[in-house]
Structure formats: structure tokens, C-alpha cells
Amino acid sequence: MTATSADVQNEIARLRRALERHNRLYYVEDAPELPDADYDALFRQLQELETAHPELRSEDSPTQRVGAPPAGRFPPVSHTHPMLSLQNAMAEEEVFEFDARVRRILETEDPIAYLTEPKLDGIAVELVYEQGQLVVGSTRGDGATGEDVTANLRTIEAVPLTLTRASGAHPIPQRLEIRGEVIISRTGFQTLNADRDEQGQPRFANPRNAAAGSLRQLDSRMTAQRPLDLLCHGAGAIEGISVTTHAEFLDALVGWGLKTNPLNRVCESVETAITRYRDLVEARDSLPYEIDGVVLKVNELALQERLGQVSRSPRWAIAYKFKAQQAETKVRNIVPSVGRLGTVTPIAELEPVAVGGVTVRNASLHNMDEVERKDVRVGDTIIVERAGDVIPYVVRVVREKRVGRPRKFKMPSRCPVPDCGGHVVREEDEAAYRCINAACPAQLKSRIRHFAGRGALDIDGLGEKLIDQLVEKALIRDFSDLYHVTAEQLVELERMAAKSAANIVTSIERSKTPPLDRFVYGLGIRHVGEHLAGILAEEFRNMDAILNATEEDLVGVHGIGPEVAASVRRFGAERTNRQVVERLLAAGVTPRAEPAPTGVLAGKVFVLTGSLEDLPRGEAERRIKAVGGKVGSSVSKKTDYLVAGADPGSKLAKAEKLGTPILDAAGLVALLATAE
Ligand code: IVH
């Protein structure tokens, strides 16, 4: 083997590994690291090398596949017809080359009619309808096998569960395999990322990943809360319906209650298709969702058939991609910015630059992992991109232009907000840093809203607008100040009558004896929702004990894991947080713990598994709790009883291994009878 071919071989192997990794990040983890353009460049390099060295081609190469195999969380679904990908064109010449190839294969000089569709930045899905009923919905996966996300797809309003035939519409085929794109609106995407920033979760890099992440929730109630939409763009096979063009097929779908994109157009030649592309470039920013190009599809189905496909994509379609909205500029400074819930985000202040018609002055660096991975430093020349998000982001540093050795940005250990100075900490396994001071001015409004809100102290009449005013007028600096607000102060505020002011003071007064769990929940300790607040209250029974609990004490409690334990401990260790609690108690707030349950089963932990037949699970749980027992979700050394019904699964094996007493439904009923 010559040196060159060894080099080529190494290069091909390197590119394949890199692409496999990026495929996985993109398709499986919904967390890509590379901008699409960089990914495409890598892909093309590999394609070119493989074309030049056919002896080094391989079936396993990423160029021969679509995406990555499913992540294994959902049952697999085989697509009857493979779900293909599209060839990309980056420039006009490539579209003309595509059109020339099409005409060469079809042996015609005549113009080809193309259906042009916006290329939606979403996730491809397949919906199978039998006798008009939705039977299964899946993701593309590796093109041959996708993931069964039927339950999640059913939550999307644009997905009809039953097809109905409008008057004049084509008859609905017995079996129909529809393909489309699940998308999220621009505003949906922005809200979702803002929430994720606040929760310290990594952001979605683009709407595609946000849609994918939402569609691949294990709990379909989560999917239901996301503003997803579906626009149909194709079929697995077009059988049992008499249409001759793709456009007619899409019209047929509309006649059955499915949505297609109203921006689709039939263009009689490649030139008109290119004009359409230009129009959509113009319209792009005003659309409610992101598009990243235009797909040209040969409109005649018979011609599509003749053109066929190459390994990865059809020969009858191409995606003419938009150019990225990028620009080069310099970083003037990197500053930490504190969000509504304390997340500290590094922001790059830039020399103002125009990107796609908008002047950009700041770019988000999202979190420290990003700063380090991209190695962005003050003075660096960088590429910024606007990508559907309110705040643009830094794509990469232009290293050749770095002057000297600028210092690295360090996250401050104290909160930069004036009058705060709380500790800034990073939780294990989390990208986000956050200020943990419950009285941090940047977080005050939202924390007070939470404290006064439902599930916590539930103070009637203390709405968002009022809280904003109280904080802005400096009448409230922490939770305890609420209890010093007077009716006289309230009437001074906008739109506040004497009567309502008096009512509010009364409801604040009434909130002074909250159940301990609601009080704990109201403090807004990270990771402590209503359920965990209940566990903490029940176990420790007063605020002092919670604030002083060690991590060891905390993880010893059934239902509390290391993450929650660390968070509660950290909250208790922050001096300002203890002061807030002390001031609340001094203001007369006395959280009350429920009396401890007594009886033989008090505090015993039961885990239920399998079907209990005559005893519905809800009923079993209710009766266990009524005698002071607890219901756990997994078997551990702390489990006192495993209640096993039919088909118990792995919990039974685990309980046997640990020697946990095992009961059947009748055994449970008998045991409960001794305590009831
Ligand atoms: S047609 C063989 N039409 O782009 C036909 N795809 O890169 C393939 N996409 O997997 C699909 N908008 O997720 C088609 N109007 C559109 C599209 C579209 C977005 C996505 C789709 C596909 C990927 C291919």
C-alpha cells in the first residue's frame, strides 16, 4: 500500500467517525454541535473522497445511510418504504446541474415542471392510516426503521386521528402512509429555549431539534404542551388513488383533513423554480416558522418513477438550501447575565454588525461548556449567526485572527447583580451556573410570584402586576417584606382601591399558617417541586431540621436522590436563605406540620408491581397512604414490602435478591386490615 492511499484511508476513516458522531448528536440526542453548513461540508468531503476512491467505499459509510439508528427508547417501526433524504444544492449552478441530470435521464429537452415546497426545519414523520384511522406514527430513524411515537403524535392538533373525506375529495385509500414534517413555531421555539435556560437545561440548537426533542418525550403529556404542527409533504407509496402529479396528491391530502403547506407552488421550469426560491428568501423572516431552503420535486409521478433513487436520496428531488445568516465581527467583552430564575448566562458584547438586515450587538454564549468548547475570548474575531432565536449566537472563533493571548472568560463565583452577591454554583451534570440567593433582585419578582402562588402560600389577589410594582417601588426585598406591607402603601399603587388593598392585606395575613410542605415548596429550592416538598415536610417536620439536614440525612430519605439532596443542602448553607426564613418566621409565619402518622405501618415503604387484578392500583396506594405507609417506585434496601401482581417483571427479581418481603394482593389487603 502506498503512503497516499494510507493517508486517504485514514482521512476517510476520520471523516466517517466524525460524521457518525455528529449524526448521533443531531438525530439521537437532539443536541448538535456543528452548524448545518459545517456538517454538510464534512459530508461532501467524504463523498468526494469516496467517489475518487471507489475501492474504499463501504456500505456502512454515513454517506450510504440516512441519519442515525433510533435511540432505543421507543419501540421500533419498520417503514414499508424507506424514508429517504434529499440531496442538497448550495448554489444556483447546482440546481441547474440537477435539472440537466433529470432531463438527461428522461431523455428530454423540454422544461421539467417542479413542485416547489419550503424546506421546513423540523422532523420527518410517517403516519399510517388504515380504513381512515391513524394506526401508527413514527420518526424517520435510520430511514428503514424509526421510532414508534404514535402517542406523542396523537397530541398534535394537526394530526387527524380519523380522516374524513370532504365533498369532491378523492376516496380515502384502505391504507395510507403519509410523510410530513413536525415543526415548532418560531415563538414556540423561543419560549422553549427561554424555559430551558431558566431550568439550566441545554438549549435546543434550532427549531428542528426542539421539534424532535418535543416529539420524543417519553411522557406524551409533555409533548402535548409543546406548540407542534404537522405539514405533510409526501407518501410512502401512492397507491389506491388516481392522481398523476405530486401537487394533485397533496391536494388529495387536504381533502382528507391533512395539512399541507399553502406556500407550495408548481413551477413550469427550473428557472421559475429559482424565481420562487428568491421569493421565499425574501419571505423567510416573516414566516411564523423557520425554513432553511426550498425543495424542488419533479411534479409528474410517472417521471419520478422513471428517475428512481440512488442509495440515500431520490433522483427526482433536491433541496436548494438558503445561505446561513452569518457575519464576522469582534468580541468587545464577555459579561455574565442573570435570568429570571437565577441562571447565569455568558453574553458576548460585539462590535455592531449587520446580519440579514438586522444589527447585532450581543450574542449568547449559552453556558460555560459552550464558551470553553468554542474557546471564545475578549478581542476575538468571531462568526455570529441568526438562527430563528431572538438572540444570535456565536458559531465559532476565527482563530487566525486572534491577536496575542487574550484571557479566558471566568464565571464569577458571586452573583454580578447589584445588591445581590449570592453564590454562583454549578450543579453536577448541568451546563448552567446559577445564583442561589433566594433574595437575588434579578429573581425577586418570579420568586415572589412562586411563593405567593398556587401550591405554595396561595395569597389571594397578589397577582403578577402587583408584585412587579411592589418590587419596583422597593417595598419588597425578600419574601418576609410581604408581611410588612400596609394597606396605606398598597393604595398608593396604580389601580388600587382602598377595598382591594384591605382585602389583600387580609389574605396576606391569612397565609401565615401554611402547611409546612407548601411553605417549603414556596421557597423555590431547586428541584423541590410539590411532591418533594411533601416528602421533606413529612420526614423533617420543621424548617430548622430541613435547613440543617446533611446530605447524608437527606439521601437517607426514601424518594430523595443525590441531586435533590445536594440542592437542599446548598440552599440551607446559603446565609441569605437562612435569613429569609428567619425573617419570615419573625414576621409571624408559622408553617405547621401534619401530625406524624402512628400505627404499625406508619412510614413503611411499599412498592407495587404487576397487575393486582381485583385491587386497582390507585385504591391500593390510597389505602397504604391512609395507614401512614409510603409508595415507592423502585425496589431498594429501603423497601419494606413488594406487592407483586401478575407479570411482575424485574422488580420481583430485585426484591427476591434483597430478601424484601413479597405480598400478593390478598396479602396486602390482610396486612392493611391489621392497621386500618
Ligand atoms: S421531501 C424523498 N419535502 O428534509 C423526499 N422533505 O433532507 C424526502 N424536509 O427527511 C422528503 N421539508 O425531514 C421533503 N417540503 C419538504 C421538506 C422535507 C423538510 C426534510 C425532511 C427530509 C429532509 C431531507
Side-chain angles (χ1 to χ4, degrees), residues 84-86 117-120 124 140 181 233 295 297 314:
L84 301 178
S85 188
L86 291 168
E117 294 181 22
K119 184 164 194 300
L120 305 162
R140 180 171 68 173
E181 205 75 2
H233 53 54
V295 184
K297 299 175 182 174

XYZ file of all heavy atoms in Angstrom, residues 84-86 117-120 124 140 181 233 295 297 314, ligand 1:
137
model
N -36.480 8.454 2.681
C -35.230 8.917 2.092
C -34.866 10.314 2.569
O -35.638 10.983 3.236
C -35.360 8.924 0.565
C -35.675 7.576 -0.048
C -35.832 7.717 -1.550
C -34.598 6.553 0.282
N -33.664 10.685 2.173
C -33.200 12.030 2.467
C -33.126 12.799 1.155
O -33.492 12.258 0.108
C -31.841 11.914 3.129
O -31.463 13.165 3.581
N -32.644 14.014 1.206
C -32.583 14.809 -0.025
C -31.145 15.199 -0.331
O -30.359 15.450 0.574
C -33.397 16.100 0.151
C -34.905 15.954 0.240
C -35.539 17.259 0.697
C -35.485 15.544 -1.112
N -41.519 23.401 -2.666
C -42.061 23.447 -1.301
C -41.020 24.067 -0.398
O -39.838 23.787 -0.549
C -42.304 22.028 -0.771
C -43.372 21.257 -1.470
C -43.539 19.861 -0.845
O -43.146 19.656 0.322
O -44.046 18.981 -1.546
N -41.435 24.885 0.560
C -40.461 25.356 1.538
C -39.844 24.143 2.239
O -40.548 23.165 2.523
C -41.311 26.160 2.518
C -42.513 26.554 1.740
C -42.779 25.425 0.796
N -38.548 24.184 2.471
C -37.926 23.100 3.245
C -38.068 23.472 4.713
O -37.514 24.472 5.181
C -36.463 22.922 2.875
C -35.840 21.735 3.596
C -34.532 21.319 2.966
C -34.067 19.955 3.434
N -33.853 19.834 4.856
N -38.856 22.689 5.389
C -39.199 23.008 6.776
C -38.107 22.514 7.700
O -37.584 21.413 7.524
C -40.525 22.333 7.135
C -41.681 22.680 6.191
C -42.798 21.664 6.323
C -42.168 24.082 6.502
N -38.937 14.726 10.293
C -39.783 13.957 9.389
C -40.474 12.829 10.145
O -39.863 12.166 10.980
C -38.936 13.376 8.268
N -38.314 9.097 11.433
C -37.605 8.513 10.304
C -36.555 7.493 10.753
O -36.328 6.492 10.088
C -36.919 9.629 9.510
C -36.158 9.099 8.332
C -35.677 10.198 7.445
N -34.638 10.997 8.104
C -33.949 11.937 7.499
N -34.205 12.223 6.241
N -33.032 12.615 8.139
N -43.653 16.805 8.016
C -42.658 17.405 8.886
C -43.357 17.946 10.121
O -44.315 18.706 9.997
C -42.018 18.554 8.088
C -40.654 18.930 8.511
C -39.579 17.942 8.077
O -39.882 16.925 7.389
O -38.435 18.174 8.463
N -45.835 16.328 3.320
C -45.144 16.600 2.066
C -44.905 15.382 1.196
O -44.226 15.458 0.188
C -43.861 17.385 2.283
C -42.899 16.778 3.284
N -42.437 15.499 3.204
C -42.312 17.328 4.381
C -41.600 15.276 4.206
N -41.512 16.360 4.942
N -37.473 22.914 -1.495
C -37.333 21.586 -2.100
C -37.980 21.619 -3.481
O -39.110 22.089 -3.625
C -38.018 20.499 -1.238
C -37.769 19.111 -1.826
C -37.539 20.567 0.202
N -39.341 19.262 -6.439
C -39.695 17.866 -6.707
C -40.285 17.782 -8.099
O -41.182 18.575 -8.435
C -40.747 17.377 -5.703
C -40.276 17.420 -4.278
C -41.402 17.049 -3.321
C -40.892 17.153 -1.891
N -41.956 16.943 -0.911
N -33.806 10.392 -3.490
C -34.425 10.230 -4.799
C -33.709 11.082 -5.846
O -33.165 12.126 -5.506
C -35.844 10.746 -4.582
C -35.753 11.673 -3.433
C -34.629 11.185 -2.576
S -39.477 15.525 0.897
C -37.601 11.891 -0.639
N -40.265 17.943 1.467
O -35.801 17.309 4.704
C -38.309 13.043 -0.126
N -38.671 16.917 2.861
O -33.198 16.288 3.850
C -37.805 13.456 1.174
N -37.986 18.276 4.734
O -36.251 13.974 5.649
C -38.664 14.359 1.890
N -39.241 19.996 4.307
O -37.282 15.839 7.062
C -39.486 16.924 1.806
N -41.071 20.079 1.896
C -40.290 19.054 2.223
C -39.462 19.087 3.342
C -38.660 17.990 3.627
C -38.355 19.479 5.126
C -36.990 17.438 5.417
C -37.450 16.027 5.686
C -36.485 15.159 4.982
C -35.276 16.033 4.945
C -34.387 15.596 3.822
